[in-house]
């Protein structure tokens, strides 16, 4: 497999930034649209707004990267594989979440609310179906109309941008304006509320303030970079519940939910691992991921605090 040059990666980043921005702005034009659900997949609901968003992302890809060949992964569809000759072409995987924060977005648009939705369009590019080969990630935030992105410069090191301006990690990693550490503990299921509550109590006992997420994991992580919170903890991976057909009953954190934003967080100086401290790069596109993203000064404290829970749930799962 050929290695992409910095210039090739930069050109791909510029093109994909245009894709998420154009698709995001078109999605926002749907304010006041009648919204109805169309499907349920792995605990995620899909609606006519998702279908519209998927079409707009595909159209933007066709405009800005008509020559791109590879594997396209939308949120609620299986991989669409295009066979290409590896010795002649670079092989790409596009990981797309056309609306990350679907419920927030469709309810806001359907009600024609004056404020903008809490959600984003997310797109990541890898040269394989593993996150270890992730090249770049970019998102468009509905609430502020910002484009965040990150580019793999060399080895596993990423450079982050906001609206094409470089983000200096030193401007992000330290809490500003408040010394209290605020931790988001994610988990929306009533059936697993006690498990989530146990984690919250343990973190609270370590003098950490605990809050719920906004029901859009990508936005929760962006808000961490915006200094609204100090850590994101998502352990739903261990709470998996399947129906009689082997499908998830509730929404797990899928890799496609956060593939676009993980490299941005790491490039901004955040510590990004799974719940056992292992690299996020060890996960593949079909995986759920137990994710911990935190400012470096509290990351290990969080891992140590959740360790007994993780060990218990792993043993139960086995």
């Amino acid at each position: 497999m050929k290695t992409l040059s910095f210039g090739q990666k930069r050109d791909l980043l510029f093109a994909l930034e245009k894709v998420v921005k154009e698709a995001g702005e078109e999605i926002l034009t749907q304010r006041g649209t009648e919204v109805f659900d169309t499907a349920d997949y792995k605990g995620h609901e899909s609606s006519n707004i998702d279908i519209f968003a998927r079409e707009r992302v595909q159209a933007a890809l066709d405009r800005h990267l008509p020559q791109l060949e590879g594997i396209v992964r939308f949120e609620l569809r299986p991989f669409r594989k295009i066979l290409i000759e590896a010795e002649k072409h670079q092989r790409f995987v596009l990981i797309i979440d056309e609306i990350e924060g679907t419920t927030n977005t469709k309810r806001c648009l359907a009600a024609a609310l004056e404020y903008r939705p809490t959600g984003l369009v997310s797109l990541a590019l890898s040269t394989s179906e593993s996150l270890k080969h992730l090249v770049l990630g970019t998102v468009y935030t509905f609430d502020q109309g910002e484009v965040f992105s990150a580019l793999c410069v060399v080895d596993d090191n990423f450079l982050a941008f906001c609206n094409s301006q470089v983000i200096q990690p030193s401007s992000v990693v330290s809490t500003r304006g408040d010394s209290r550490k605020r931790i988001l503990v994610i988990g929306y299921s009533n059936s697993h509320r006690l498990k989530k509550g146990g984690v919250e109590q343990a973190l609270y006992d370590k003098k950490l303030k605990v809050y719920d997420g906004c029901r859009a994991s990508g936005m929760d992580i962006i808000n961490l970079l915006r200094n609204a919170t100090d850590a994101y903890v998502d352990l739903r991976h261990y709470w998996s519940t399947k129906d009689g057909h082997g499908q998830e009953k509730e929404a797990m954190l899928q890799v496609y939910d956060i593939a676009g934003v993980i490299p941005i967080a790491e490039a901004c100086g955040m510590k990004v691992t799974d719940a056992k401290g292992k690299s996020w790069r060890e996960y593949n596109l079909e995986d759920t991921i137990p994710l911990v993203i935190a400012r470096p000064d509290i990351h290990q404290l969080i891992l140590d605090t959740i360790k007994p829970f993780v060990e218990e749930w792993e043993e139960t799962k086995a």
Side-chain angles (χ1 to χ4, degrees), residues 180-191:
R180 293 172 181 259
K181 299 299 184 182
R182 303 178 185 274
I183 317 300
L184 296 180
V185 180
I186 310 304
Y188 314 122
S189 166
N190 287 326
S191 62

Side-chain angles (χ1 to χ4, degrees), residues 93-111:
V93 178
L94 288 174
I95 312 160
I96 303 165
D97 195 340
E98 57 274 17
I99 301 180
E100 210 293 289
T102 301
T103 300
N104 298 343
T105 302
K106 69 182 182 182
R107 284 178 176 260
C108 182
L109 295 178

Side-chain angles (χ1 to χ4, degrees), residues 49-192:
I49 292 293
D50 296 85
I51 294 171
F52 176 82
R54 197 172 301 134
E55 291 170 347
R56 301 330 304 152
V57 170
Q58 187 64 65
L61 283 170
D62 291 342
R63 271 195 304 276
H64 296 293
L65 283 170
Q67 78 284 8
L68 191 65
E69 295 185 89
I71 301 169
V72 179
R73 174 64 156 92
F74 281 97
E75 178 185 354
L76 296 176
R77 289 184 177 178
F79 290 108
R80 178 168 64 85
K81 298 195 177 187
I82 303 170
L83 297 178
I84 54 179
E85 297 180 50
E87 68 273 13
K88 293 183 179 180
H89 301 282
Q90 175 67 53
R91 181 171 181 261
F92 294 110
V93 178
L94 288 174
I95 312 160
I96 303 165
D97 195 340
E98 57 274 17
I99 301 180
E100 210 293 289
T102 301
T103 300
N104 298 343
T105 302
K106 69 182 182 182
R107 284 178 176 260
C108 182
L109 295 178
L113 301 177
E114 289 300 318
Y115 62 82
R116 293 159 68 110
T118 303
L120 50 78
V121 180
S122 174
L123 201 158
L125 183 143
S126 177
T127 55
S128 80
E129 294 177 39
S130 169
L131 288 184
K132 68 182 176 183
H133 296 131
L134 200 64
V135 175
L136 60 87
T138 183
V139 301
Y140 172 84
T141 66
F142 292 136
D143 63 341
Q144 297 291 328
E146 295 173 310
V147 176
F148 286 86
S149 58
L151 169 70
C152 183
V153 180
V154 62
D155 297 327
D156 292 329
N157 296 311
F158 285 86
L159 183 64
F161 305 87
C162 179
N163 295 333
S164 300
Q165 299 298 309
V166 174
I167 302 174
Q168 298 296 339
S170 59
S171 69
V172 177
V173 294
S174 298
T175 304
R176 301 179 299 285
D178 185 2
S179 61
R180 293 172 181 259
K181 299 299 184 182
R182 303 178 185 274
I183 317 300
L184 296 180
V185 180
I186 310 304
Y188 314 122
S189 166
N190 287 326
S191 62
H192 298 295

